[in-house]
Amino acid sequence: MKVLVTGGLGYIGSHTCVELLQNNYEVIVIDNLSNSEVSVITRIEKITNKKITFYKGDLLNKFDIQQVFQQNEIDAVLHFAASKSVNESVKNPVKYYKNNISSMVNLLEVMEDFNVKKFIFSSSAAVYGSTTQQPISELVDTQAMNPYGQTKVIGEDFLNDLYISDNEWSIVVLRYFNPIGAHESGLLGEQPNGTPNNLMPLITQVASKKRRLLYVFGNDYNTTDGTGVRDYIHVVDLAKGHVSAVQKLLLTHGLHTYNLGTGEGYSVLEIINTFEKVNNVNIHYEIVDRRAGDPAVCFANPAKAKEELEWSAERTLEDMCRDSWQWEKALENNILPSRK
Ligand code: WQD
């Protein structure tokens, strides 16, 4: 079974390639290396002792996509390639609508041309915006609060229209909550370009003294300790969820949407305290004002994925903190080829 993974050298994409290879799928990757690097290939192959076929290409260029389909009999596509910074999307919506929507149109057009109609879409809990219905089930209305989240809402609506137009399609939409952590090998992890937006890479950079201080965005929310609560999920659990989704794709038609979260919510201070305890380090932080657009609480009801994909997250918050720190130390000690 041959699967195409767009953005397969990125954080979630690369961890998913490992799980696909270890489940005996043949993996082809197309990636424009805008937020990843080619050395990830060797590390995926080292972990799995298997080869991947790599195409450097951009989904905004239809020719790049066509040549992959001309040269390979693709059975299914997992689509990760997209821009994913909430902050950046607010400052530069044009980039986000172009990169996240136009590329998806190109990809689906080529898939139709080659009669490949099995598709997994990387969506996000950002589609739920600031819903107060917690834990969040897939039935909650989508109401994005930023351009990034809106590109995911549009992507989902696009897929819904596509399925209605042709029910030969088999589509799974996966709404990720907060992916953190890294592969236990210490060979794969999050390598954000520039200053990270997300909590965990900032924590690991403070722990490694790359960064002096962590700013905690608000402690006046209606939560146990006043800081924001999120559903953090280990990236390897997330990757395994994609393998379960591929298996679902291959057995059925239809369009199915699943939350991929643990169902547990942890506050920022709980994350900091757990990280300090597990790794025996100190995280210097300062409470500052809330960040605009942040909901107080966001965590999943993952029951539907458990029932229909026979998948649920297994790794603990301690695992996530331990693996994140191991990865930061690997980056720090230059064990890995550094970012170009
Ligand atoms: C987590 C918590 C912050 C940074 C976003 C996207 C979502 C997904 C994950 C792509 C919040 C607090 C953070 C900091 C802090 N991305 N925080 N200081 O905003 O929940 O989700 O990233 O799919 O779609 O919306 O993640 O890691 O930025 O924030 O206090 O320097 O940490 O307020 O409570 P978020 P995050």
Side-chain angles (χ1 to χ4, degrees):
M1 194 62 66
K2 207 175 260 193
V3 294
L4 171 63
V5 182
T6 75
L9 300 188
Y11 176 42
I12 302 168
S14 58
H15 286 83
T16 302
C17 285
V18 165
E19 298 303 322
L20 288 165
L21 289 165
Q22 290 178 335
N23 280 273
N24 299 317
Y25 290 95
E26 253 189 277
V27 172
I28 296 138
V29 169
I30 182 168
D31 198 306
N32 67 4
L33 302 178
S34 64
N35 196 23
S36 56
E37 55 188 51
V38 75
S39 66
V40 173
I41 298 173
T42 34
R43 294 189 247 134
I44 290 171
E45 294 179 341
K46 187 169 179 192
I47 293 168
T48 59
N49 199 21
K50 294 189 177 179
K51 290 287 180 196
I52 61 176
T53 307
F54 173 64
Y55 289 82
K56 184 176 186 301
D58 196 319
L59 302 186
L60 291 174
N61 177 346
K62 258 182 92 174
F63 172 77
D64 288 357
I65 309 170
Q66 283 161 340
Q67 70 165 352
V68 176
F69 283 79
Q70 279 155 359
Q71 294 171 14
N72 301 275
E73 286 284 317
I74 308 283
D75 296 294
V77 176
L78 290 87
H79 179 43
F80 292 95
S83 301
K84 63 154 198 148
S85 163
V86 169
N87 292 345
E88 187 189 27
S89 76
V90 174
K91 294 181 190 117
N92 189 351
V94 171
K95 171 183 172 181
Y96 273 69
Y97 284 103
K98 183 177 175 202
N99 197 38
N100 292 7
I101 305 297
S102 307
S103 56
M104 187 172 172
V105 171
N106 285 349
L107 176 60
L108 288 164
E109 226 174 355
V110 172
M111 288 179 69
E112 265 188 334
D113 296 345
F114 285 84
N115 197 32
V116 177
K117 296 185 177 179
K118 295 186 180 297
F119 188 73
I120 294 182
F121 180 52
S122 164
S123 189
S124 166
V127 302
Y128 293 118
S130 61
T131 178
T132 52
Q133 300 176 60
Q134 304 289 339
I136 304 175
S137 90
E138 292 84 352
L139 299 175
V140 170
D141 287 343
T142 54
Q143 178 71 41
M145 293 170 68
N146 50 65
Y148 161 73
Q150 189 57 24
T151 66
K152 294 301 183 180
V153 170
I154 292 169
E156 292 191 13
D157 291 347
F158 177 10
L159 292 169
N160 194 49
D161 291 341
L162 180 63
Y163 177 66
I164 291 167
S165 75
D166 173 0
N167 57 23
E168 278 304 301
W169 280 87
S170 178
I171 297 169
V172 172
V173 171
L174 299 176
R175 293 172 176 169
Y176 309 156
F177 279 70
N178 286 63
I180 62 171
H183 195 268
E184 61 191 11
S185 64
L187 292 173
L188 290 180
E190 195 169 3
Q191 280 184 272
N193 268 335
T195 305
N197 292 293
N198 295 131
L199 180 64
M200 185 53 86
L202 288 162
I203 286 179
T204 58
Q205 289 187 4
V206 169
S208 65
K209 306 208 182 331
K210 262 188 211 154
R211 196 171 291 279
R212 195 176 61 81
L213 203 54
L214 173 75
Y215 296 111
V216 175
F217 296 142
N219 68 345
D220 56 352
Y221 288 106
N222 182 18
T223 61
T224 44
D225 58 25
T227 62
V229 169
R230 296 290 184 276
D231 185 331
Y232 298 93
I233 176 169
H234 197 293
V235 64
V236 171
D237 279 329
L238 198 62
K240 288 176 180 295
H242 286 74
V243 175
S244 303
V246 170
Q247 284 152 1
K248 172 96 180 172
L249 267 191
L250 299 177
L251 293 173
T252 62
H253 287 124
L255 187 153
H256 308 275
T257 300
Y258 301 99
N259 289 337
L260 294 191
T262 65
E264 293 287 327
Y266 288 103
S267 74
V268 177
L269 291 182
E270 285 171 323
I271 300 293
I272 293 171
N273 296 335
T274 306
F275 189 92
E276 289 182 321
K277 193 174 74 201
V278 162
N279 297 311
N280 193 25
V281 293
N282 242 341
I283 302 296
H284 300 294
Y285 67 85
E286 185 183 316
I287 306 286
V288 295
D289 291 339
R290 294 179 176 190
R291 178 172 65 179
D294 273 355
V297 176
C298 177
F299 66 102
N301 171 351
K304 189 181 175 191
K306 183 175 171 61
E307 188 192 333
E308 295 186 16
L309 298 182
E310 295 176 34
W311 168 90
S312 51
E314 294 165 357
R315 283 151 188 80
T316 64
L317 184 61
E318 287 74 14
D319 297 328
M320 297 179 220
C321 291
R322 188 175 304 111
D323 293 339
S324 297
W325 182 226
Q326 177 183 250
W327 169 247
E328 179 66 34
K329 288 187 287 185
L331 286 175
E332 188 68 9
N333 302 332
N334 280 322
I335 297 173
L336 307 163
S338 63
R339 179 167 287 288
K340 52 191 182 303

